[in-house]
Amino acid sequence: MQGLVKTNKDAAFQMKPGKKMDSSLVRRLKYVRKNYFLYLLIAPALLLTIVFKYVPIYGAIIAFKDFNTIKGILGSEWVGFAHFTKFLSSPNFGVIFVNTLKLSVYGLLLGFPIPIILALMINQVRRAAVKKNIQLVLYAPNFISVVVIVGMLFIFLSPTGPINQLVMMLTGEPIRFLSNPDFFRTTYILSGIWQAAGWSSIIYVAALANVDPELHNAATLDGANILQRIIHIDLPTIKPLMAVTFILSAGGIMAIGFEKAYLMQTSMNLPTSEIIPTYVYKVGLQSGNYAYSTAIGLFNSVINVILLVLVNSIVKKLNEGEGLY
Amino acid sequence: MKIKYTRMDRMILGFNSILLCLAVLVVIVPLVYIVLASFIDPTILLNKGISFNFSDWSLEGYKLILGNEAMIRGFLNSILYSVGFSVVTVVVSLFAAFPLSINGFVGKNFFMTLFIITMFFSGGLIPTYLVVKDLGMLNTIWAIILPGALNVWNIILAKTYFKGIPYELHEAAKVDGASDLLIFFKIVLPLSKPIIFVLAMYAFVGQWNSYFDAMIYLDDPNLHPLQLILRSILIQNSTDPGMISDQLAMAELKKLSEMIKYSSIVISSLPLILMYPFFQKYFEKGIMVGSLK
């Protein structure tokens, strides 16, 4: 009934813009008046969005200004793209940009397939109780805080920690995992997989549970072994899900989190551990260089949006026209 | 029908079991190590590793942590922030999701677009910080609770859930003359306990585990949540001098600071560890509703 009213309204809107639009407006106003309670309900969310999301988006124009807290956002002088050119031509730019890209791309390439493999493996476990307990254990690290994860890394990988005690037995020399820049990406990515792989496998496990068992039975009768059934039945089932997950994570490549990298930074591993988000924080809040920092952040977001669009169109081509949008 | 396994299949399944056992061990061993190490004297830990000779065990680490004022305050602050954050997030999300779940709600697309845009564009760190600062929220609990309270995913989750409630219930109530207000509070909310639970748990865990907002918005150490205290113990390696009486030798100090690392990890994770087995299925449910959209 409600849907019907809406279609009529839309049709009227298209036919005679002038007079009918008024009556459609009146009808809308009537609806709002009659259902004002609904608008009261949505108001807090709206207020929070405007204050904490849209005002900052507007505030981001300080990236194009010589921002001065006393003059305020509007009073400060325009400087155009000066902050952007400063960043792009600074000697730090190349290193930080490449660090950000490498950390995310390697993280994605390793982190994307592992949950899928894990889900395919869990799916083969026949006894429900065993399956449930495996999942209980594998999901647990997801609930550990990033501070504790990095704290554990420091404990396990310290020169006197348990891992280095093993290394010492083999080579006599401890490996400086935490201060050697060569190890930053490896420890960052592997600990990330340790924490998130189990939890990320959930949606695949659920999708696999929905595969019609008859398909498997029929394939078995035709002589297919488990590996063949995984390749020809299980994988095609989760393919659309894989595409969506991949687009979303690839689109978030430059949106890599600040929290863990910042905690893992030591003055020694900065050549590989300084990434755009940590740099934005240091330039902005530690050095008080608001406008410059905002420009760097904005640059990062723009690249991110471009990547999202790009990856989506590529996946769309590879995946028979099925993308995110 | 029962599937008969060929020899090849049994080999694959055996290999699969071995790999899964390995995965479980990889996850469990570091966690068990931390828990065991929290009871063992650091010098013994360094020389002998984990010892099962119970005379080497002590509760010293826990005594230090539980007797430390900063740690207790951090714990209480974290509870306050996490509970406050959950309440605000859940209320705001449920309120917003109800109108959006109603067919014919005028302005639905407009509001939805407004919310979804914020998933892809943000003003960034500094502009958000400036807003919080200009509102005078620095060094208040509001800086922790409000800026992140609106999560578009939560609205989508709640909206999807509300849509699953049969619309006939609304209509029947409307025929009886019930207002939207009555329908929301008397019909929809009582049916929504699972989703309320899921949203609250997600919010609680997220807030309990985060340190970033507190780091940038709260200068006052008295307001610091547990995670910031943990950061100084685990990562910055700075032990509050008050924690250890000053007559102790340097070596002893270092030993104790090693010791509290383990016990602080255990204590800080305790609430979540205790909650986890009971709530695991709800967390999973949350993910599933979200992926249906």
Side-chain angles (χ1 to χ4, degrees), chain B residues 262-282:
Chain B
Y262 299 97
S263 50
S264 65
I265 290 181
V266 175
I267 294 280
S268 72
S269 312
L270 213 55
L272 299 191
I273 293 174
L274 293 178
M275 274 158 57
Y276 173 63
F278 301 102
F279 300 145
Q280 187 214 3
K281 66 173 183 206
Y282 288 103

Side-chain angles (χ1 to χ4, degrees), chain A residues 23-240:
Chain A
S23 76
S24 130
L25 190 70
V26 168
R27 197 177 304 152
R28 277 160 195 251
L29 283 175
K30 263 190 187 156
Y31 180 91
V32 173
R33 225 177 70 188
K34 199 174 140 231
N35 300 283
Y36 68 95
F37 173 69
L38 296 178
Y39 295 87
L40 277 182
L41 278 182
I42 206 170
L46 215 54
L47 190 70
L48 284 176
T49 309
I50 290 168
V51 172
F52 293 108
K53 303 280 154 89
Y54 282 94
V55 175
I57 288 177
Y58 161 75
I61 60 169
I62 62 170
F64 304 97
K65 291 196 162 199
D66 179 19
F67 180 64
N68 178 323
T69 26
I70 298 157
K71 287 183 184 166
I73 295 175
L74 284 177
S76 299
E77 310 277 327
W78 289 99
V79 292
F81 286 89
H83 295 305
F84 293 88
T85 37
K86 183 179 159 202
F87 177 55
L88 292 176
S89 58
S90 83
N92 291 331
F93 169 72
V95 179
I96 297 174
F97 186 75
V98 170
N99 280 347
T100 313
L101 211 60
K102 274 190 177 169
L103 192 61
S104 318
V105 171
Y106 294 162
L108 175 65
L109 291 182
L110 261 171
F112 178 70
I114 289 177
I116 299 171
I117 296 169
L118 215 50
L120 291 170
M121 284 166 50
I122 293 173
N123 190 46
Q124 291 303 327
V125 179
R126 285 287 162 259
R127 256 177 284 170
V130 177
K131 190 170 167 178
K132 215 187 138 227
N133 283 324
I134 291 177
Q135 285 170 298
L136 190 77
V137 171
L138 293 185
Y139 297 167
N142 185 57
F143 297 95
I144 297 174
S145 80
V146 63
V147 174
V148 168
I149 291 279
V150 177
M152 283 169 67
L153 276 179
F154 280 25
I155 287 173
F156 286 112
L157 298 179
S158 87
T160 53
I163 305 247
N164 263 323
Q165 284 176 357
L166 288 178
V167 172
M168 294 264 271
M169 276 200 293
L170 296 172
T171 64
E173 277 285 304
I175 301 176
R176 310 226 156 240
F177 291 105
L178 301 165
S179 47
N180 185 341
D182 294 343
F183 284 103
F184 171 75
R185 278 193 273 272
T186 318
T187 45
Y188 181 99
I189 292 169
L190 288 183
S191 61
I193 290 174
W194 181 83
Q195 178 169 31
W199 188 251
S200 314
S201 71
I202 288 185
I203 45 170
Y204 297 114
V205 172
L208 286 170
N210 287 333
V211 175
D212 184 359
E214 280 308 307
L215 277 176
H216 281 288
N217 289 343
T220 317
L221 284 180
D222 290 341
N225 65 31
I226 289 184
L227 223 48
Q228 286 165 323
R229 283 192 276 124
I230 286 177
I231 293 169
H232 296 288
I233 301 173
D234 288 347
L235 274 179
T237 311
I238 55 174
K239 202 173 120 190

Side-chain angles (χ1 to χ4, degrees), chain A residues 1-3 6 9 27-28 31-32 34-35 37-42 44-46 48-57 59-60 62 67 69 73 118 120-122 124-126 132 134-148 150-152 154-156 160-162 165 194 199 202-203 206-207 213 216-218 220-221 224-227 229 241 248 258-260 262-263 277 280-281 284-285 289-291 293-294 298 301 305 308 324, chain B residues 1 3-6 8-10 12-13 16 19-20 23-24 26-31 33-34 45-47 49 88 92 95-96 98-100 102-107 109 111 113-115 117-118 120-133 135 137 146-150 153 155 167 171 174 180-182 184-185 202 205 208-213 215-216 227-228 230-231 234-235 261-262 265 268-269 272 276-277 280 283-284 287-288 291:
Chain A
M1 180 59 200
Q2 299 229 351
K6 193 170 188 294
K9 192 169 62 193
R27 197 177 304 152
R28 277 160 195 251
Y31 180 91
V32 173
K34 199 174 140 231
N35 300 283
F37 173 69
L38 296 178
Y39 295 87
L40 277 182
L41 278 182
I42 206 170
L46 215 54
L48 284 176
T49 309
I50 290 168
V51 172
F52 293 108
K53 303 280 154 89
Y54 282 94
V55 175
I57 288 177
I62 62 170
F67 180 64
T69 26
I73 295 175
L118 215 50
L120 291 170
M121 284 166 50
I122 293 173
Q124 291 303 327
V125 179
R126 285 287 162 259
K132 215 187 138 227
I134 291 177
Q135 285 170 298
L136 190 77
V137 171
L138 293 185
Y139 297 167
N142 185 57
F143 297 95
I144 297 174
S145 80
V146 63
V147 174
V148 168
V150 177
M152 283 169 67
F154 280 25
I155 287 173
F156 286 112
T160 53
Q165 284 176 357
W194 181 83
W199 188 251
I202 288 185
I203 45 170
H216 281 288
N217 289 343
T220 317
L221 284 180
N225 65 31
I226 289 184
L227 223 48
R229 283 192 276 124
L241 202 56
L248 284 177
F258 161 97
E259 304 205 346
K260 192 167 155 197
Y262 182 69
L263 290 176
V280 166
Y281 170 72
L285 286 181
N289 218 332
Y290 290 163
S293 163
T294 306
L298 199 61
S301 318
V305 172
L308 185 71
L324 195 59
Chain B
M1 193 182 93
I3 293 176
K4 280 206 191 84
Y5 294 118
T6 62
M8 178 72 175
D9 282 351
R10 278 202 300 272
I12 297 171
L13 283 179
N16 187 47
L19 280 182
L20 273 178
V24 168
V26 166
V27 167
I28 246 178
V29 166
L31 298 176
Y33 180 91
I34 296 283
L45 192 66
L46 194 61
N47 296 329
V88 173
V92 168
F95 279 15
F98 179 63
L100 293 172
I102 292 175
N103 284 327
F105 173 63
V106 169
N109 288 337
F111 292 128
T113 317
L114 207 66
F115 290 137
I117 285 175
T118 66
F120 298 99
F121 296 94
S122 86
L125 174 72
I126 301 295
T128 312
Y129 174 83
L130 289 176
V131 168
V132 173
K133 189 176 156 210
L135 289 171
M137 289 181 178
L146 293 181
L150 190 100
W153 270 117
I155 296 185
Y167 195 71
E171 282 185 331
K174 279 222 157 138
D180 287 328
L181 184 138
L182 223 57
F184 181 59
F185 285 107
Y202 268 116
V205 172
W208 185 270
N209 282 342
S210 76
Y211 77 93
F212 182 54
D213 285 354
M215 182 176 84
I216 62 175
Q227 297 298 329
L228 277 186
L230 274 180
R231 184 176 74 124
L234 294 175
I235 291 156
K261 280 185 182 176
Y262 299 97
I265 290 181
S268 72
S269 312
L272 299 191
Y276 173 63
Q280 187 214 3
F283 283 118
E284 272 184 66
I287 284 214
M288 296 326 298
S291 61

Side-chain angles (χ1 to χ4, degrees), chain B:
Chain B
M1 193 182 93
K2 201 169 153 42
I3 293 176
K4 280 206 191 84
Y5 294 118
T6 62
R7 231 184 71 193
M8 178 72 175
D9 282 351
R10 278 202 300 272
M11 255 171 62
I12 297 171
L13 283 179
F15 189 59
N16 187 47
S17 309
I18 293 171
L19 280 182
L20 273 178
C21 283
L22 272 178
V24 168
L25 281 179
V26 166
V27 167
I28 246 178
V29 166
L31 298 176
V32 172
Y33 180 91
I34 296 283
V35 174
L36 291 180
S38 71
F39 293 103
I40 295 171
D41 186 290
T43 2
I44 293 166
L45 192 66
L46 194 61
N47 296 329
K48 290 201 278 183
I50 298 286
S51 150
F52 288 97
N53 176 358
F54 287 104
S55 62
D56 295 336
W57 286 41
S58 84
L59 289 171
E60 201 53 36
Y62 288 95
K63 276 187 200 148
L64 282 171
I65 283 296
L66 293 174
N68 179 248
E69 212 182 306
M71 190 79 185
I72 303 287
R73 200 169 40 221
F75 203 92
L76 294 177
N77 282 338
S78 277
I79 290 179
L80 178 68
Y81 299 157
S82 304
V83 170
F85 181 75
S86 308
V87 170
V88 173
T89 306
V90 170
V91 168
V92 168
S93 312
L94 292 175
F95 279 15
F98 179 63
L100 293 172
S101 73
I102 292 175
N103 284 327
F105 173 63
V106 169
K108 181 157 90 175
N109 288 337
F110 170 74
F111 292 128
M112 222 36 222
T113 317
L114 207 66
F115 290 137
I116 286 178
I117 285 175
T118 66
M119 292 173 91
F120 298 99
F121 296 94
S122 86
L125 174 72
I126 301 295
T128 312
Y129 174 83
L130 289 176
V131 168
V132 173
K133 189 176 156 210
D134 288 345
L135 289 171
M137 289 181 178
L138 290 187
N139 276 321
T140 67
I141 182 176
W142 304 114
I144 304 297
I145 291 185
L146 293 181
L150 190 100
N151 180 332
V152 184
W153 270 117
N154 287 346
I155 296 185
I156 295 176
L157 281 178
K159 188 183 91 156
T160 314
Y161 187 89
F162 290 159
K163 284 209 159 190
I165 297 173
Y167 195 71
E168 289 77 39
L169 282 177
H170 291 224
E171 282 185 331
K174 279 222 157 138
V175 170
D176 291 342
S179 63
D180 287 328
L181 184 138
L182 223 57
I183 294 177
F184 181 59
F185 285 107
K186 295 280 172 194
I187 299 178
V188 173
L189 280 190
L191 287 171
S192 302
K193 276 179 202 136
I195 191 74
I196 294 174
F197 205 65
V198 167
L199 295 182
M201 285 296 115
Y202 268 116
F204 186 92
V205 172
Q207 189 59 47
W208 185 270
N209 282 342
S210 76
Y211 77 93
F212 182 54
D213 285 354
M215 182 176 84
I216 62 175
Y217 295 134
L218 306 176
D219 281 335
D220 183 355
N222 288 328
L223 297 174
H224 281 180
L226 193 56
Q227 297 298 329
L228 277 186
I229 315 274
L230 274 180
R231 184 176 74 124
S232 62
I233 293 175
L234 294 175
I235 291 156
Q236 296 169 329
N237 251 323
S238 62
T239 313
D240 176 3
M243 202 179 277
I244 295 151
S245 65
D246 43 18
Q247 293 101 320
L248 290 173
M250 208 46 208
E252 190 71 357
L253 196 115
K254 195 166 179 327
K255 190 177 118 180
L256 290 177
S257 84
E258 277 302 308
M259 193 153 203
I260 58 170
K261 280 185 182 176
Y262 299 97
S263 50
S264 65
I265 290 181
V266 175
I267 294 280
S268 72
S269 312
L270 213 55
L272 299 191
I273 293 174
L274 293 178
M275 274 158 57
Y276 173 63
F278 301 102
F279 300 145
Q280 187 214 3
K281 66 173 183 206
Y282 288 103
F283 283 118
E284 272 184 66
K285 210 178 264 169
I287 284 214
M288 296 326 298
V289 179
S291 61
L292 294 176
K293 226 192 321 203

